[in-house]
Structure formats: structure tokens, C-alpha cells
């Protein structure tokens, strides 16, 4: 039968009976890091590690050995090597035994696609026809890609990529000569990998042939024998598994994945996710979260889990993604991707509320705001999480101390709908319960937003107001959105980094904001350096309340370790204390009149008869002689008044009902509080300096 006749039969056969391409389409999803190395993979539907392998991404050494060992005329024949068939038949006739096969790489692909194991004569004939059919349908490169994807390498491992990853922990492009020589022999007898003696015998036979044909040197052959002697199967090393499943779920599943409709290049892109993940940062991040969850957080609640996202602030590339520190742990619901789930942000949105207030002109860092009991309507009267009301404070300290009433008051003036629109325009997905209209509780976390989107929003601070959307895939164009003005972003950055505190100027800090949702369901810390944005979420995957958990106690220690141990930005974390750090240059008297005092509409109504201390001014510095009297004067309120200095009751001769005579005993900052008979109170902070 001539080659022309067989080609005609194959063409007719191809049109009437196309090859079954089910197996080449049933391959593993693979997550690659930024350097092309495997981070994680899934098994195929038939429980195989079958990873699509491209010949152009494979070591040239291996390709050369493969063709030398399996099919030296691969680039010239049409699927069937007539010369090899004649040679094999001659050996059988003259020497009465089988010495060499005649199967080409294309014929082996046809056999693998048919999934028929027995080599009967009629099946060999069908393989020849199928091989010619494949050569008509696909270019040589595609056929070679099929072989590299389907070739058996022992156990449930198919394809060179899966074999090089599981056996050597590297990509096919990185195989050295001895590793390539070791792998090239295995498809001849895949079962030998579980039998050391058979494996060594196969390797020796293969190596002799490769040496005889000049494919490798004797020195390389000796190194390959050592690999065979020490060979053992390793458990695949997996990282960023939550990210892999996130990308699978968000992939376009409606697209046909069959080679008849897709080129091999498209198939490669469909099943391989080439990401921006930095392998070193990812592994270190996973180690830190794993130790924190099982060694520290489990003592609080055995079901507590954690997630973390690290983004390159300049490019938007996600360099580390841990959706669950305890992936696979059923008790902790480790398969739930907490970095992608909509969770309460707690107080982490407050910086954006104040930034937008600054853009609108009614707030500045030193604007006096009121932290006190205020009914904002519908009986909504927020309290602070860990402290009493502070009275009159600056915006700077309202944010640093995460006071609730000032943030809600600012949001009331901005408008919840406008604020939510700004967040969504920046690209974040934010939803309220039952998709109800945005309301004031969103200032304190009354909405759902993912940790990934929060990290994206916080990129506005190191980027002077522009927000970078998260990029997961290599070679993607950055998506940048204008979120805040340059001025407001820098003012909030100054507050979060505590740069206004000259007394602490020698302590370089990493700006961050903690957040805790109602009942401790979500504990967060989001912060950034010049180059990276880091987000940490601690909570139960089922969202149940854990009252003892907060952003500061649960998430901040993890954030601290990530900032210092993974990204390499040498910034010291300073834990903020509950005291004031206002300097004289921040006094409200130096502000524009519009920004000296801010009260929302509801706060103004509540403060119509509110007692307040009119002298000394809040955040002022008084220089006095030791033992000198200071008159503390109040306005409004219902007498008689009760006085407290630094939380301790103060009894002193009163000049009249609204005044306290106070003799300071120590220098430094002191908190003065006046309480009237209706329970209303006013507090100020004053710095005392003794004249020497």
C-alpha cells in the first residue's frame, strides 16, 4: 500500500470518523507563578495529573533525545515511518524475533487518544490510519504537544510537565541533560517507576542507546543512573490553591475547549493560568499564616482561619494570595476563599470617608469633630468599640483612635449613596444586606466587600489617589482609576503613618488601619509601604461571631510579620496607643474658618444644650509655674458639675458653678472632663509645661 493511497484513505476516514479528542481536552488546570513554575494544579476528570505541555516551552535537550529515542524521522514522515516498518518486518522475518518497533510519535498519539491498551494487528493498522489523519489535521508542533501532554510517566502522571514537576519540582524548560535522559525512557514502560530494579534496567538500556547515538555523553549517563538509584515519587507541592479555584470559577466556561475549535495555543491559555504571583513571597506568606492560625489563633477559637493578599502598589500585580491559611482543613472550612468572599470591612473604610470629606472642603486633619452620643435617626447611635466617648477631638485623632461617631457624622454629610458610588467607581464590588439602599452603618462596616478589593482601594494612598485594580495574569495592562485627590490621599497618608508626631519621627512606621466587624466576625488590618499593599483578614469562614477577636489583636500581628518577613520593605511597625499626639501647629485656630469645627446635622441638634469646655482650648499647650492655678471654664450644661482629671474625680474650690480651679501636679498631656447633672459631658486634652 503506497503512502499516497494511505493518505487518501486517511482523509476519507478523517471526514467520516474524526478522532476522539476527549482525552486531550480532559487536562489539569494549572496555576503558574510569574516565572512559569507550577504553584498548584487540579487533577483531570479521570484522576490523572495531566498537564498540557508545549514543545516550545520544553528543554531542547529533551526534544532532541525524544526524537532520537522514539522517532528520528518525525519531522519528515507523514505519520507513518515506512522505513521503520520495513526494518521491523525484516527483523521479524530474518531473525524470528522483535528487535525494534515501528511506531512513530504520531502513531503513539493516536494510540493514547484511542485509549486502547492491546497492540493487536488490526489496531496497529487503525493507528497508522489515525496517525496520517492527525498529520492532515494538525501541524507537527501540535502533534508533538499532544505527545508531551499524554505520554504516561507512571502512577497517575501523564505528560512531561506533570512528570518534571512531581519528580523534579521544576518546569520542562529547566530539565538538565541527566533529568531529560531519565524521563525520556519512562513512557516505554511507565509501570517501572514503582519497581526500582525494572527502572534501573530500563534506564541502562535507554542510556546505552542514547550514548551510542551521540545524544548524551557517558558522564551524563552516569549522572542519570544516580537519579534512577535514588528515585522516589514525591507528593506534589501546592501553593495558592484558593487562587487556582477562584480563577477556574471565574473562567469563561461557555467557551469550547476542543482542539477541533481551538488551537493548541488557545487550549494552553484555557487551562494554564500564568499569574503574577511571586513564589518566594507566596510561600513565606503561607508559612506565616499557617503558624499564626494553628499556634496563636486556635487557642481563641479552633475554627478561626485567616486570609491575606499582597499587591504591588505600582503595577497592581497580586504577588501573594492566600484565601485560606488552612486550605483543606474541614474543621476550619479551609476550601472557602475568604480573600474573595464579601465580608464586613469594619472600620477600614473610615480613611476614605475622611478623605472624601477633605475633598468636599468641610474637613481637614486638624478639624475639631465631636465624639459623643448622637442619635442619627432610627435609633442608630453608635458607640466606640474599646473606649468611652472622647468629646471634642481632631479628625487626625478620630481616625487614629478609630472613633465611630465622627466617621458616621462625616458620612451623613457626604451621603451614603455618594460614598458607595465612589467605591464602586473605583472598581470594588460592594453590597449591602439584601441589596438595600446604602445607609450610615456602612461607615462602620455595614456592607460586604472582599479583602482583595480593600487592598485595591488602599493602593490609592501610595499612588497619590489613583487606585490600581488587582492584576492576576502576566502581561495584562494595568487598570488605574481615579479614586481620591492627591491632596486628600496625602493628608490621610500622613495621619495613618503618624508623620505629624515629631516626638516619634525617629520611628518609621508602616501606615495601616485596623477594622473589626460587629461581634468580632471579621478582624482586618490593611496597610501599605511604598511598594506594596498588604491586607489581612481573620475570622471564621462561616461568619459566626467571636467577641474576643479584633483587628488589633488578631490581624495586626499577622500584618506585622508579613510586612517585615515577606516583602522586605524595612519599615518598623509601631502599635498606636490611646493618647493624643497633637502638636501646636495643628491647633484649630490656624485652620480656615470652614474647617475649624465640623458637626453633622444630627450632631448639631443633639448639642443644642451640650456642655463644652471653652477654656483652655482643646489640644492647647499651657506654660505655667509649678503650683500656679488654672481656671477651667465651661459653657452651657446643667449645674452642679462633676470634674475629672485623667479619669480621677477632682474636688476643688469653685469660683462659680461653671469653673474649676486646677493646680497641675505633672507636666505632659492631661485629659479634663466636665459632667453635668443630665449626664452630658465635655472632654479636652491640654499639654502642661512648667516654666523653669
Amino acid at each position: 500500500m503506497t503512502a499516497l493511497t494511505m493518505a487518501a484513505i486517511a482523509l476519507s476516514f478523517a471526514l467520516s470518523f474524526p478522532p476522539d479528542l476527549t482525552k486531550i481536552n480532559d487536562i489539569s488546570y494549572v496555576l503558574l507563578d510569574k516565572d512559569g513554575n507550577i504553584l498548584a494544579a487540579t487533577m483531570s476528570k479521570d484522576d490523572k495529573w495531566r498537564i498540557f505541555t508545549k514543545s516550545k516551552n520544553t528543554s531542547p535537550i529533551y526534544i532532541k533525545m525524544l526524537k532520537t529515542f522514539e522517532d528520528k524521522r518525525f519531522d519528515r514522515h507523514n505519520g507513518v515511518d515506512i522505513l521503520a516498518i520495513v526494518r521491523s518486518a525484516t527483523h521479524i522475518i530474518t531473525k524470528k524475533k522483535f528487535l525494534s518497533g515501528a511506531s512513530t510519535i504520531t502513531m503513539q498519539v493516536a494510540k493514547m487518544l484511542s485509549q486502547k491498551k492491546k497492540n493487536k494487528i488490526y489496531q496497529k493498522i487503525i493507528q497508522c490510519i489515525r496517525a496520517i489523519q492527525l498529520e492532515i489535521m494538525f501541524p507537527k508542533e501540535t502533534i508533538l504537544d499532544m505527545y508531551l501532554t499524554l505520554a504516561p510517566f507512571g502512577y497517575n502522571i501523564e505528560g512531561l510537565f506533570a512528570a518534571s514537576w512531581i519528580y523534579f519540582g521544576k518546569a520542562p524548560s529547566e530539565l538538565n541533560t541527566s533529568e531529560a535522559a531519565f524521563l525520556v525512557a519512562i513512557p516505554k514502560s511507565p509501570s517501572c517507576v514503582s519497581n526500582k530494579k525494572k527502572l534501573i534496567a530500563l534506564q541502562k538500556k535507554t542510556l546505552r542507546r542514547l550514548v551510542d547515538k551521540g545524544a548524551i555523553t557517558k558522564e551524563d549517563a552516569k549522572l542519570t543512573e544516580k537519579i534512577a538509584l535514588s528515585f522516589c515519587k514525591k507528593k506534589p507541592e501546592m501553593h495558592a490553591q484558593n487562587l487556582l479555584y477562584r480563577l477556574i470559577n471565574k473562567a469563561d466556561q461557555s467557551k469550547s475547549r476542543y482542539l477541533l475549535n481551538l488551537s493548541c495555543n488557545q487550549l494552553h491559555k484555557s487551562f494554564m493560568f500564568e499569574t503574577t504571583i511571586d513564589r518566594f513571597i507566596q510561600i513565606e506568606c503561607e508559612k506565616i499564616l499557617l503558624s499564626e492560625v494553628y499556634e496563636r489563633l486556635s487557642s481563641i477559637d479552633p475554627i478561626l482561619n485567616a486570609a491575606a493578599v499582597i499587591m504591588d502598589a505600582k503595577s497592581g500585580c497580586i504577588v501573594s494570595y492566600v484565601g485560606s491559611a488552612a486550605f483543606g482543613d474541614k474543621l476550619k472550612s479551609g476550601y472557602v476563599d475568604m480573600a474573595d468572599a464579601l465580608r464586613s470591612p469594619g472600620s477600614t473604610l473610615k480613611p476614605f470617608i475622611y478623605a472624601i470629606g477633605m475633598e468636599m472642603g468641610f474637613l481637614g486633619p486638624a478639624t475639631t469633630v465631636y465624639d459623643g452620643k448622637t442619635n442619627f435617626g432610627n435609633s442608630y447611635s453608635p458607640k466606640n468599640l474599646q473606649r468611652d466617648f472622647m468629646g471634642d477631638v481632631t479628625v487626625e485623632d478620630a481616625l487614629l483612635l478609630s472613633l465611630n461617631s465622627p466617621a458616621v457624622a462625616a458620612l451623613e454629610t457626604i451621603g451614603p449613596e455618594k460614598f458607595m458610588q465612589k467605591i464602586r467607581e473605583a472598581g470594588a464590588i460592594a453590597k449591602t444586606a439584601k441589596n438595600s439602599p446604602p445607609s450610615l452603618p456602612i461607615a462602620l462596616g455595614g456592607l460586604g466587600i472582599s479583602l482583595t478589593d480593600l487592598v485595591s482601594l488602599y493602593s490609592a494612598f501610595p499612588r497619590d489617589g489613583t487606585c490600581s485594580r488587582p492584576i492576576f495574569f502576566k502581561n495584562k495592562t494595568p487598570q488605574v482609576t481615579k479614586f481620591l485627590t492627591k491632596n486628600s490621599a496625602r493628608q490621610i497618608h500622613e495621619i495613618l503613618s503618624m508623620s505629624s508626631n515629631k516626638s516619634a519621627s525617629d520611628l518609621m512606621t508602616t501606615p495601616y488601619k485596623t477594622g473589626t466587624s460587629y461581634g468580632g466576625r471579621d478582624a482586618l488590618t490593611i496597610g501599605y509601604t511604598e511598594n506594596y499593599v498588604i491586607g489581612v483578614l481573620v475570622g471564621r469562614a462561616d461568619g459566626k461571631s467571636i467577641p474576643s477577636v479584633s483587628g488589633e489583636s488578631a490581624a495586626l500581628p499577622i500584618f506585622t510579620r508579613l510586612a517585615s518577613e515577606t516583602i522586605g520593605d524595612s519599615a518598623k511597625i509601631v502599635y498606636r496607643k490611646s493618647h493624643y499626639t497633637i502638636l501646636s501647629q495643628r491647633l484649630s485656630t490656624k485652620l480656615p474658618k470652614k474647617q475649624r469645627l465640623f458637626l453633622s446635622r444630627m450632631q448639631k441638634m443633639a448639642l443644642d444644650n451640650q456642655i463644652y469646655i471653652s477654656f483652655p482650648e482643646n489640644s492647647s499647650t499651657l506654660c505655667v509655674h509649678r503650683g500656679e492655678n488654672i481656671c477651667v471654664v465651661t459653657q452651657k450644661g446643667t449645674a452642679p458639675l462633676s470634674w475629672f482629671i485623667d479619669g480621677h474625680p477632682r474636688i476643688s474650690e469653685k469660683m462659680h458653678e461653671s469653673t474649676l480651679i486646677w493646680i497641675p501636679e505633672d507636666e505632659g498631656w492631661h485629659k479634663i472632663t466636665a459632667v453635668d447633672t443630665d449626664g452630658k459631658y465635655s472632654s479636652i486634652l491640654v499639654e502642661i509645661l512648667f516654666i523653669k
Side-chain angles (χ1 to χ4, degrees), residues 287-302 304 325 332 561:
K287 287 179 181 177
I288 290 170
L289 263 69
L290 197 65
S291 67
E292 289 285 334
V293 164
Y294 284 101
E295 296 173 15
R296 182 173 64 88
L297 297 176
S298 287
S299 62
I300 302 172
D301 188 304
L304 266 179
K332 297 179 181 291
R561 291 188 62 186

Side-chain angles (χ1 to χ4, degrees), residues 348-508:
T348 57
L349 295 180
K350 287 178 181 175
F352 308 118
I353 293 174
Y354 290 122
I356 294 171
M358 292 173 185
E359 292 174 14
M360 295 173 65
F362 66 86
L363 289 180
T367 300
T368 299
V369 293
Y370 176 66
D371 179 48
K373 185 175 181 180
T374 305
N375 187 343
F376 289 95
N378 297 322
S379 300
Y380 181 56
S381 182
K383 298 179 181 179
N384 293 319
L385 180 64
Q386 295 177 328
R387 55 178 58 86
D388 295 331
F389 291 118
M390 304 296 291
D392 291 341
V393 296
T394 63
V395 165
E396 183 178 55
D397 285 295
L399 179 53
L400 287 176
L401 298 174
S402 199
L403 304 178
N404 288 337
S405 188
V408 175
L411 181 62
E412 182 189 33
T413 302
I414 296 168
E417 297 85 358
K418 180 178 179 179
F419 180 72
M420 185 73 92
Q421 182 182 356
K422 285 274 288 185
I423 289 178
R424 288 170 174 166
E425 287 176 352
I429 297 174
K431 296 183 179 180
T432 56
K434 299 179 181 179
N435 290 319
S436 58
S439 56
L440 294 179
I442 67 176
L444 311 181
L447 78 166
I449 188 171
S450 72
L451 178 65
T452 307
D453 279 341
L454 278 174
V455 167
S456 171
L457 293 177
Y458 268 76
S459 70
F461 297 122
R463 293 177 56 89
D464 278 344
T466 59
C467 179
S468 182
R469 294 299 302 146
I471 294 175
F472 292 97
F473 299 107
K474 284 179 65 176
N475 304 320
K476 288 287 184 181
T477 304
Q479 295 179 314
V480 178
T481 307
K482 186 67 178 177
F483 182 35
L484 305 174
T485 64
K486 181 177 179 179
N487 186 51
S488 67
R490 288 192 172 185
Q491 286 180 311
I492 295 298
H493 164 73
E494 285 185 12
I495 296 174
L496 293 179
S497 62
M498 298 176 67
S499 62
S500 63
N501 184 3
K502 287 186 177 179
S503 64
S505 61
D506 58 324
L507 298 177
M508 296 300 295

Side-chain angles (χ1 to χ4, degrees), residues 414-683:
I414 296 168
E417 297 85 358
K418 180 178 179 179
F419 180 72
M420 185 73 92
Q421 182 182 356
K422 285 274 288 185
I423 289 178
R424 288 170 174 166
E425 287 176 352
I429 297 174
K431 296 183 179 180
T432 56
K434 299 179 181 179
N435 290 319
S436 58
S439 56
L440 294 179
I442 67 176
L444 311 181
L447 78 166
I449 188 171
S450 72
L451 178 65
T452 307
D453 279 341
L454 278 174
V455 167
S456 171
L457 293 177
Y458 268 76
S459 70
F461 297 122
R463 293 177 56 89
D464 278 344
T466 59
C467 179
S468 182
R469 294 299 302 146
I471 294 175
F472 292 97
F473 299 107
K474 284 179 65 176
N475 304 320
K476 288 287 184 181
T477 304
Q479 295 179 314
V480 178
T481 307
K482 186 67 178 177
F483 182 35
L484 305 174
T485 64
K486 181 177 179 179
N487 186 51
S488 67
R490 288 192 172 185
Q491 286 180 311
I492 295 298
H493 164 73
E494 285 185 12
I495 296 174
L496 293 179
S497 62
M498 298 176 67
S499 62
S500 63
N501 184 3
K502 287 186 177 179
S503 64
S505 61
D506 58 324
L507 298 177
M508 296 300 295
T509 67
T510 297
Y512 68 88
K513 180 72 184 76
T514 59
T516 308
S517 65
Y518 180 76
R521 289 180 173 85
D522 309 275
L524 303 100
T525 299
I526 318 289
Y528 56 90
T529 66
E530 181 182 358
N531 299 313
Y532 295 97
V533 185
I534 306 172
V536 177
L537 168 66
V538 173
R540 287 177 49 145
D542 58 13
K544 288 187 178 179
S545 174
I546 307 175
S548 60
V549 166
S550 69
E552 188 167 342
S553 67
L556 184 55
I558 300 176
F559 173 86
T560 303
R561 291 188 62 186
L562 293 178
S564 60
E565 297 176 31
T566 63
I567 59 178
D569 283 17
S570 56
K572 184 176 180 180
I573 305 295
V574 176
Y575 287 81
R576 301 186 179 99
K577 298 179 181 179
S578 300
H579 62 73
Y580 285 73
T581 59
I582 307 301
L583 300 176
S584 59
Q585 72 265 27
R586 290 285 190 175
L587 294 180
S588 60
T589 52
K590 294 189 177 183
L591 290 172
K593 186 174 181 180
K594 186 178 180 181
Q595 292 184 2
R596 291 180 186 175
L597 175 67
F598 165 71
L599 294 172
S600 72
R601 180 178 58 87
M602 297 303 296
Q603 285 181 319
K604 289 176 182 177
M605 293 172 60
L607 290 174
D608 280 345
N609 192 38
Q610 173 68 41
I611 184 175
Y612 68 93
I613 298 173
S614 58
F615 183 85
E617 290 187 3
N618 186 34
S619 303
S620 61
T621 299
L622 300 180
C623 298
V624 297
H625 293 282
R626 188 180 292 274
E628 183 179 346
N629 294 339
I630 295 176
C631 295
V632 183
V633 182
T634 63
Q635 302 291 333
K636 299 187 178 180
T638 305
L641 305 180
S642 298
W643 293 91
F644 298 85
I645 304 294
D646 297 326
H648 301 291
R650 190 78 178 190
I651 301 174
S652 178
E653 180 184 352
K654 299 180 176 63
M655 293 175 60
H656 54 79
E657 291 180 338
S658 61
T659 304
L660 167 71
I661 302 298
W662 173 43
I663 302 176
E665 298 175 358
D666 302 302
E667 287 187 314
W669 289 96
H670 297 276
K671 181 179 178 181
I672 306 173
T673 303
V675 184
D676 70 4
T677 54
D678 294 329
K680 297 178 180 179
Y681 64 91
S682 175
S683 296

Side-chain angles (χ1 to χ4, degrees), residues 71 105 108 136 187 232 254 270 274 315 348 377 393 437 442 542 565 666:
D71 189 355
I105 287 175
Q108 292 181 57
I136 293 172
C232 64
S254 64
S270 297
E274 298 175 296
S315 67
T348 57
V393 296
I442 67 176
D542 58 13
E565 297 176 31
D666 302 302

